């Protein structure tokens, strides 16, 4: 199949590379000449695990250009994946999407034959049958559902695992203006996935609602687990991990995202939850659950800050391990690690941070008020208290000796993800969020016994 991918950012570049690696002829389009040059030279324009591997596999079939018309004329299906940022109201704006469709118009006017336009960016429900359809028809001179197809098919992917998510999706969502457009897109997915995902085809507005609903439901599970964590640590003998492990075995619930740890962040979850609430309020519905989910999430930084204050007086030095909102990415958007650092700085603490990829981005936000350590061990060695905020695999193997103190005192550690190695645990005054007083005391006793 001949495909053009409009937008070569963190999601578009992997998409173009995966389709080319799977044997399709792909033309990427971006206004950023550096992205275009990188792809044409066989280099990854953005950092993402396995992206270079896919580019290497698809290189003979993968090219890029800044010329929209050139790409449209050379292809039969176009995936548009450009930013749809949130406005001050919390709703998404389609201004970049509409601009891209306008730029695609001349190429669509000048070519013959049916062409499918796939909106991959997340949009507010009602967009595709509204201003997106209107702009596409005006720019192309064609009629949607007659001589041009319009689909809405957002990906369910996360930064740091984009390639794997594209290759093995749980399901594929196809909103379609007409069956011919849906058939073409379904064929593309079936030829590009390593697994055989369920494909759900529906009209455009149902697909738009489905996308935003999935993310909103996931955030609800995260906040529910954090609510349980808060409850459990107030009850003697309670342990949130024991509770969520059992709750997740119920097939009606499932264990994914059901872990009491830190709040959710990143470029999708927080804004999608807010946008869902904005949409519901705009049509007279009551999004009370989505609003409660957001409220619980916003409480998590203050909750952790309270734990720090209970263990260490203001003026002490706190090491925060993990600035990215999740492992395997440098993205810090809505990161609770960054938020905790800012919270503690404002409360009078000295803060040193470490992250395998995101320390530079975090320092650019936090400024010279924060110190950055090149290694996790260096951050720990400087600290009076340590907080583990991101479950980076590297933290599992951290050198335990960094936790040892020459004066024999125990370093206080709040391990939000319960991932530090046993050797480190033995040297610490360890605190696991979500464990009640008796459990916390038992963990502390084990550590003291191990230290002799």
């Amino acid at each position: 199949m001949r495909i053009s991918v409009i937008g070569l950012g963190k999601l578009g570049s992997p998409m173009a590379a995966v389709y080319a690696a799977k044997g399709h002829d792909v033309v990427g389009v971006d206004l950023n000449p550096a992205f275009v040059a990188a792809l044409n030279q066989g280099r990854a324009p953005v950092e993402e695990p396995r992206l270079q591997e896919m580019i290497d596999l698809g290189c003979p079939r993968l090219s890029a250009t800044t010329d929209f018309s050139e790409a449209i004329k050379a292809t039969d299906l176009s995936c548009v994946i450009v930013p749809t940022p949130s406005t001050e109201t919390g709703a998404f704006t389609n201004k970049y999407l509409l601009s891209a469709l306008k730029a695609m118009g001349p190429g669509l006017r000048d070519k013959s034959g049916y062409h499918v336009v796939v909106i991959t960016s997340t949009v507010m429900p009602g967009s595709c049958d509204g201003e997106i359809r209107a702009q596409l028809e005006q720019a192309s001179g064609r009629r949607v559902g007659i001589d041009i197809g319009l689909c809405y098919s957002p990906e369910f992917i996360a930064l740091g695992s984009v390639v794997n998510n594209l290759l093995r999706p749980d399901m594929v969502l196809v909103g379609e203006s007409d069956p011919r457009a849906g058939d073409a897109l379904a064929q593309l997915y079936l030829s590009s996935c390593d697994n055989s995902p369920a494909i759900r085809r529906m009209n455009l507005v149902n697909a738009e609602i489905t996308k935003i609903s999935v993310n909103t439901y996931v955030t609800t599970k995260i906040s529910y687990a954090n609510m349980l964590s808060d409850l459990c640590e107030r009850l003697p003998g309670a342990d949130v991990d024991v509770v969520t492990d059992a709750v997740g075995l119920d097939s009606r619930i499932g264990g994914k995202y059901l872990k009491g740890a830190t709040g959710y962040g990143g470029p999708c979850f927080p804004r999608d939850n807010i946008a869902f609430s904005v949409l519901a309020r705009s049509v007279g519905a009551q999004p009370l659950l989505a609003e409660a989910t957001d409220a619980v999430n916003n409480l998590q930084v203050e909750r952790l800050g309270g734990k720090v204050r209970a263990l260490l007086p203001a003026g002490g030095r706190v090491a925060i391990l993990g600035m990215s909102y999740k492992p395997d990415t440098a993205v810090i958007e809505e990161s609770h690690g960054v938020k905790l650092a800012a919270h503690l700085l404002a409360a009078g603490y000295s803060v040193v941070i470490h992250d395998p990829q995101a320390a530079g981005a975090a320092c650019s936000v936090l400024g010279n008020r924060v110190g950055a350590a090149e290694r996790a061990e260096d951050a720990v060695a400087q600290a009076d208290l340590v907080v583990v905020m991101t479950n980076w695999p590297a933290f599992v193997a951290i050198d335990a000796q960094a936790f040892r103190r020459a004066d024999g005192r125990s370093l206080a550690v709040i391990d939000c993800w319960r991932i530090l190695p046993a050797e480190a645990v033995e040297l610490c005054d360890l605190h696991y969020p979500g464990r009640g007083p008796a459990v916390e005391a038992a963990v502390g006793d084990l550590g003291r016994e191990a230290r002799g």
Side-chain angles (χ1 to χ4, degrees), residues 183-228:
D183 288 344
L185 185 54
Q187 180 185 348
L188 172 61
Y189 279 123
L190 290 174
S191 65
S192 302
C193 296
D194 286 343
N195 60 345
S196 298
I199 298 179
R200 290 293 178 266
R201 295 172 60 172
M202 57 194 72
N203 66 22
L204 295 167
V205 69
N206 281 332
E208 292 166 332
I209 296 170
T210 299
K211 165 59 177 177
I212 201 170
S213 297
V214 166
N215 280 358
T216 302
Y217 189 83
V218 170
T219 61
T220 300
K221 289 187 73 173
I222 295 170
S223 281
Y224 190 86
N226 285 330
M227 180 185 69
L228 278 178

Side-chain angles (χ1 to χ4, degrees), residues 253-269:
I253 298 171
K256 283 187 177 181
Y257 292 98
L258 195 67
K259 185 175 181 66
T262 60
Y264 57 82
C268 294
F269 282 171

